[in-house]
Structure formats: structure tokens, C-alpha cells
Amino acid sequence: RRGIDFRAVWQLTSMSLGVGVFAIPFCFNVLGVLQGGILVVVLGFLANTAIERLLDCAEIHSRSKYEEIANTAFGRWGQAAMALVIFITTFIASLSYLAASTELLTCVVYAFLTGE
């Protein structure tokens, strides 16, 4: 068994936190403080519960990858579906960063060129 690649863990953590930093204020603006706060707590609880169940399953069956856990739970189709979900999620996150970077870069270049 190989060790953990901490660079990958750091990248995924930074990516998740970065998207949340941009999304949470917008959600609170749209939903309001009360409804937004309730949804953050409920969805945080559900995400934490899902992570705990995944870790329990991984430990019981000695699995270390999402695809392996999906294969154990749902067979080859589950493994293929999990690989597709991981691809789509990563692709959407990349597009989000591209959109945010483009907007920020445009503002910076404009300010640099115009002096404003």
C-alpha cells in the first residue's frame, strides 16, 4: 500500500474551500440568512454522515478508492458510474475556476491598463 499524496489532498481541499468561498455568500444573498443558515447546517450534517458511511465501508472492506467502494456496493456498473461522477464533478469545478479566474483577470487587466 502506498502512502497518501498530501499534494493531492491539499489541492482537493483548496478547491472545495475555494468554491465554497464564492458560492456561500451568493446563496445567503438569494435565500436569506435564516433559510440559508438552516440549509448550510442540514447539508453539512448530510455531507458529514455520507463521509462517515463511506469511511466505514472503506474500512470494513479494506478499500481505498471511491471506485473500489462503488464496485463493492454496486458491482462493475457502480464502479463505472462513480468514475463518471468523479469526472463530471472535477470538470464542473474546473469550469467554475476558469470562469472565476477569467472574471478576476479581466478586472485586474482593466485596472492595470486604465489606472482605475
Side-chain angles (χ1 to χ4, degrees), residues 1-110:
R1 180 176 166 172
R2 297 185 311 201
I4 296 173
D5 186 353
F6 288 105
R7 293 172 299 174
V9 173
W10 176 256
Q11 182 65 28
L12 288 173
T13 303
S14 298
M15 186 171 67
S16 298
L17 292 175
V19 171
V21 166
F22 292 122
I24 288 177
F26 176 75
C27 292
F28 272 90
N29 187 37
V30 171
L31 297 172
V33 176
L34 181 62
Q35 188 177 8
I38 290 170
L39 284 174
V40 165
V41 170
V42 169
L43 293 176
F45 174 77
L46 291 174
N48 187 56
T49 302
I51 289 170
E52 288 177 358
R53 297 299 78 82
L54 278 171
L55 290 173
D56 292 342
C57 182
E59 183 178 357
I60 290 169
H61 296 287
S62 300
R63 304 290 187 241
S64 62
K65 297 179 182 175
Y66 285 126
E67 294 95 343
E68 293 173 349
I69 296 170
N71 189 15
T72 300
F74 304 111
R76 292 182 60 92
W77 286 103
Q79 183 176 1
M82 183 55 66
L84 180 63
V85 166
I86 290 170
F87 170 77
I88 291 171
T89 303
T90 307
F91 183 71
I92 290 171
S94 297
L95 291 178
S96 298
Y97 278 108
L98 182 61
S101 299
T102 302
E103 186 174 336
L104 290 172
L105 185 60
T106 303
C107 293
V108 169
V109 168
Y110 177 78

